């Protein structure tokens, strides 16, 4: 009997498949990216998304408590006894009127999906829980990733929680935030610092994983992306199963956007939603490969036969000019997104748009989000900066219902946040000025006061 789940090449004309337990994460026929595919006709699919509400009453079962696995019928690749969960996905989708006003949306139209609430502080835990479940099914004892911080923190945490699994992390020199490095070290992962940036580290970890048979958890791993689908399920859940008009998400390796589109494609095909939302992907201006190729050069999915020539030429241009990704939004400082083909497909599936935003606007947006009560890292601020741009352009209407994904917690890249708010020009310059940020709009400066009671009282009263 054919398997209920397997891996399938994303290129329809290739038709390559791999078994569910294959860990090469490349199509055996063409070398392309793989999807996790299901024989839905033989699987028990709920008739309505309301089905998942029955899980809320059952929080003592870790699988129903998990914000990933309570949707397990929609990522049915694992038997219940193999599932790895540490309580990921207890995240919030919050109405954010002050941020809506900042972006030019009417009240009640913007929601922020706060993935910083995850155990390791980013959305990665959604995917890591699924990848570790698959790793356990395949008997892996070591797991590796390249990371700008969040993937490594998540990997290290899941390794620490799963006896018998050793984590190996590749980071570029000076390219990881201390908060995130501290998590990797604290949770006991082997940390390999290589000379180079994220793109270099990812290339190496793919080679090394293949050579040593180590389980790879970067987002070329399609099982990771299965876990990230649940971010969209929770968005729908928070909106009482109503489909928003837009999902806005930062784009780095383009795993999220690929996984979100897969989620909506499947829900639509299964008759669980009446329509799909549109997707907006926001690059940083200093790492804008997807923007350049999709918006400027017009590369389109074309049922998997997209034109590779401009893609190759673009990468050759990066190499020839020794151009490296450069943005303060460290999580999306990526010039060679591994999920590029899937992201072209996602744009086709959800009528997508891509924008690239300068760091100064990303940091201002982040400060508005923080002042509105949710703390996020710069990469997450990109989604709101991009939304503001799209409203300015009239692409997103003032009354459209929009959800921006806040992918990571404010405690990542905290040096930049302190520099943003600093009154000290040297502190500002060291972190932001020398990276091209000239001025910021929403600094909340610390007030220097002499060590004197009257002066302190006066300063506090003057800032009521
Ligand atoms: N936002 C945050 C907070 C991230 O950590 C990442 C990726 C992205 C957005 C980009 O997501 O790749 O799905 O487009 N971080 C990786 C890491 C690179 O190593 O933690 P994507």
């Amino acid at each position: 009997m054919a398997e209920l789940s397997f891996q399938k090449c994303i290129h329809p004309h290739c038709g390559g498949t791999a078994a569910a337990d294959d860990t090469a994460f490349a199509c055996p026929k063409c070398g392309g990216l793989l999807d996790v595919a299901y024989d839905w006709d033989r699987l028990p699919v709920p008739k309505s998304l309301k089905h998942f509400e029955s899980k809320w009453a059952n929080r003592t079962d870790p699988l129903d408590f998990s914000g990933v696995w309570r949707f397990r019928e929609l990522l049915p690749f694992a038997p219940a006894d193999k599932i790895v969960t540490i309580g990921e996905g207890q995240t919030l989708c919050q109405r954010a009127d002050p941020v809506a006003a900042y972006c030019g949306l009417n009240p009640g139209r913007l929601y922020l999906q706060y993935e910083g609430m995850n155990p390791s502080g980013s959305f990665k835990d959604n995917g890591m829980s699924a990848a570790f479940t698959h790793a356990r099914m395949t008997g892996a004892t070591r797991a590796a990733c390249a990371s700008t911080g969040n993937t490594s923190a998540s990997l290290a945490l899941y390794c620490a929680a799963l006896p018998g699994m050793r984590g190996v992390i590749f980071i570029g020199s000076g390219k990881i935030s201390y908060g995130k490095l501290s998590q990797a070290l604290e949770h006991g992962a082997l940390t390999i610092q290589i000379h180079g940036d994220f793109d270099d580290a990812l290339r190496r970890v793919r080679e090394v994983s293949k050579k040593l048979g180590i389980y790879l958890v970067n987002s070329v791993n399609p099982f990771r992306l299965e876990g990230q689908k649940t971010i969209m399920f929770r968005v729908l859940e928070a909106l009482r199963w109503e489909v928003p008009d837009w999902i806005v998400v930062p784009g780095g390796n383009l795993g999220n956007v690929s996984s979100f589109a897969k989620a909506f494609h499947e829900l639509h095909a299964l008759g669980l939603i009446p329509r799909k939302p549109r997707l907006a992907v926001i690059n940083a201006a200093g790492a804008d490969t997807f923007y350049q190729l999709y918006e400027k050069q017009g590369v389109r999915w074309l049922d998997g036969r997209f034109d590779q020539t401009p893609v190759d030429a673009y990468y050759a241009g990066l190499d020839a000019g020794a151009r490296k990704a450069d943005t303060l939004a460290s999580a999306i400082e990526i010039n060679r997104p591994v999920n590029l083909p899937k992201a072209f497909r996602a744009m086709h599936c959800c009528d997508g748009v891509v924008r690239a935003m300068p760091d100064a606007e990303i940091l201002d947006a982040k400060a508005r989000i923080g002042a509105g009560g949710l703390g996020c890292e710069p990469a997450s601020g990109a989604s709101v900066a991009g939304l503001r741009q799209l409203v300015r352009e009239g692409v997103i209407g003032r009354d459209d219902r929009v959800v921006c994904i806040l992918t990571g917690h404010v405690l990542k890249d905290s040096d930049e946040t302190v520099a943003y708010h600093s009154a000290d020009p040297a502190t500002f310059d060291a972190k932001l000025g020398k990276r091209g940020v000239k001025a910021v709009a929403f600094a909340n400066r610390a007030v220097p006061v002499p060590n004197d009671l009257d002066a302190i009282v006066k300063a506090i009263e003057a800032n009521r």
Side-chain angles (χ1 to χ4, degrees):
M1 193 166 84
E3 296 298 326
L4 294 173
S5 67
F6 54 103
Q7 299 180 71
K8 187 169 130 196
C9 181
I10 67 163
H11 297 283
H13 55 272
C14 168
T17 58
D21 64 356
D22 190 305
T23 57
F25 304 137
C27 172
K29 258 175 93 180
C30 76
L33 295 166
L34 295 169
D35 278 323
V36 179
Y38 304 100
D39 186 351
W40 292 110
D41 291 340
R42 293 196 294 137
L43 284 159
V45 180
K47 300 237 167 336
S48 143
L49 289 172
K50 276 185 174 300
H51 160 82
F52 295 104
E53 294 174 11
S54 66
K55 316 268 175 124
W56 300 344
N58 196 21
R59 290 170 67 84
T60 49
D61 177 348
L63 300 194
D64 285 346
F65 177 75
S66 165
V68 170
W69 297 106
R70 73 168 171 268
F71 298 103
R72 56 194 176 278
E73 288 100 327
L74 299 175
L75 50 153
F77 67 85
D81 64 340
K82 288 283 193 266
I83 287 176
V84 179
T85 174
I86 58 168
E88 58 287 318
Q90 306 303 321
T91 60
L92 191 71
C93 186
Q94 185 165 299
R95 179 174 155 168
D97 284 355
V99 183
Y102 173 67
C103 296
L105 288 185
N106 287 331
R109 306 317 289 168
L110 176 63
Y111 289 76
L112 300 176
Q113 173 70 17
Y114 186 41
E115 290 298 313
M117 278 173 86
N118 272 292
S120 77
S122 84
F123 76 91
K124 301 285 178 180
D125 296 345
N126 295 286
M128 209 54 72
S129 165
F132 268 65
T133 296
H134 183 245
R136 175 143 98 171
M137 289 168 67
T138 64
T141 56
R142 284 189 292 182
C145 71
S147 184
T148 57
N150 284 321
T151 311
S152 58
S154 182
L155 168 69
L157 186 54
Y158 277 84
C159 279
L162 184 63
M165 190 69 102
R166 176 88 164 123
V168 186
I169 286 159
F170 283 58
I171 57 175
S173 40
K175 290 286 183 185
I176 188 167
S177 83
Y178 259 46
K180 290 289 146 180
L181 181 59
S182 72
Q183 287 176 283
L185 299 173
E186 184 83 355
H187 297 307
L190 171 63
T191 303
I192 309 282
Q193 197 160 3
I194 68 157
H195 191 76
D197 65 6
F198 174 82
D199 293 314
D200 300 316
L202 183 56
R203 218 171 311 171
R204 285 292 180 218
V205 78
R206 291 180 80 171
E207 287 169 8
V208 171
S209 296
K210 200 167 166 188
K211 200 174 164 80
L212 298 180
I214 302 178
Y215 188 90
L216 183 67
V217 300
N218 281 103
S219 55
V220 286
N221 177 334
F223 291 89
R224 229 195 74 184
L225 298 190
E226 287 303 287
Q228 288 166 219
K229 290 192 312 194
T230 64
I231 302 170
M232 292 302 102
F233 303 155
R234 294 197 299 275
V235 163
L236 293 175
E237 186 176 49
L239 300 179
R240 305 315 305 245
W241 313 115
E242 281 177 24
V243 180
D245 298 307
W246 287 91
I247 301 287
V248 189
V249 62
N253 245 338
L254 305 176
N256 267 330
V257 61
S258 305
S259 133
F260 296 175
K262 185 172 189 280
F264 290 121
H265 174 78
E266 288 172 349
L267 290 179
H268 194 245
L270 293 170
L272 292 169
I273 51 172
R275 65 181 176 90
K276 296 175 278 186
R278 295 186 69 185
L279 282 174
V281 178
I282 314 301
N283 277 161
D288 64 346
T289 298
F290 191 39
Y291 173 69
Q292 291 296 336
L293 291 172
Y294 185 76
E295 295 287 352
K296 293 289 179 194
Q297 307 212 25
V299 180
R300 292 294 180 271
W301 170 239
L302 305 179
D303 215 21
R305 296 182 195 275
F306 66 88
D307 188 358
Q308 185 67 36
T309 317
V311 178
D312 293 341
Y314 185 78
Y315 287 149
L318 291 180
D319 288 341
R323 262 164 48 219
K324 295 285 185 189
D326 182 15
T327 167
L328 287 160
S330 61
I332 52 174
E333 193 176 48
I334 295 171
N335 259 350
R336 293 173 187 272
V338 292
N339 288 299
L340 185 67
K342 276 190 182 176
F344 287 137
R345 183 180 65 174
M347 295 292 95
H348 173 74
C349 171
C350 292
D351 193 9
V353 299
V354 188
R355 291 295 180 272
M357 300 306 296
D359 283 353
E361 286 189 51
I362 290 175
L363 294 180
D364 282 342
K366 170 180 166 303
R368 287 292 82 194
I369 298 163
L374 293 174
C376 70
E377 65 173 274
S380 312
S383 60
V384 169
L387 165 61
R388 189 160 177 260
Q389 170 68 24
L390 288 162
V391 175
R392 223 161 21 206
E393 290 175 22
V395 175
I396 295 184
R398 296 176 67 83
D399 257 325
D400 285 351
R401 201 177 202 196
V402 183
V403 180
C404 285
I405 313 302
L406 304 182
T407 44
H409 200 278
V410 71
L411 293 176
K412 164 119 179 268
D413 298 331
S414 52
D415 289 359
E416 292 168 12
T417 304
V418 172
Y420 181 96
H421 293 290
S422 176
D424 171 29
T427 306
F428 182 90
D429 272 346
K431 281 286 159 196
L432 308 188
K434 79 171 169 44
R435 300 283 302 267
V437 177
K438 299 274 174 289
V440 298
F442 305 109
N444 172 27
R445 306 214 190 289
V447 182
V449 191
N451 185 7
D452 171 85
L453 183 59
D454 287 344
I456 294 169
V457 168
K458 220 163 122 189
I460 292 172
E461 290 299 327
N463 286 283
R464 279 174 91 100

